[in-house]
Amino acid sequence: MAIQYDKIEEIKEKWGNKPCSHPNLEKEYYFSAQTGEYVCTQCGEVFTKEEKDKLVEKENSKQYSH
């Protein structure tokens, strides 16, 4: 699934200011072009590829440490 740039504000409004663990990040698109960023499909927060990679790494280390 890809997230269109214009949908991010809609996602943010629906989510509000609640905390989010960012369980699902998808590529952000502006029309048919990738922006190079990733969007949390739950809260609408935007991440760079480096930030996304750190979140994934952190989540993976939690799973393997239990």
Side-chain angles (χ1 to χ4, degrees):
M1 181 176 149
I3 302 291
Q4 288 292 328
Y5 178 81
D6 62 341
K7 294 293 181 189
I8 295 171
E9 286 304 314
E10 183 180 314
I11 294 169
K12 286 181 178 181
E13 279 185 33
K14 286 181 181 178
W15 185 253
N17 291 326
K18 298 177 279 194
C20 182
S21 63
H22 314 299
N24 189 41
L25 300 177
E26 297 291 339
K27 290 181 181 178
E28 177 188 54
Y29 282 80
Y30 186 74
F31 294 101
S32 62
Q34 289 183 16
T35 65
E37 297 185 317
Y38 293 80
V39 180
C40 174
T41 59
Q42 183 166 286
C43 73
E45 187 170 343
V46 178
F47 297 91
T48 64
K49 180 171 182 348
E50 292 79 19
E51 291 170 327
K52 178 199 86 92
D53 290 345
K54 286 180 184 177
L55 282 172
V56 169
E57 185 178 311
K58 184 178 176 182
E59 188 59 34
N60 287 343
S61 68
K62 283 182 186 177
Q63 290 176 359
Y64 295 116
S65 67
H66 290 129

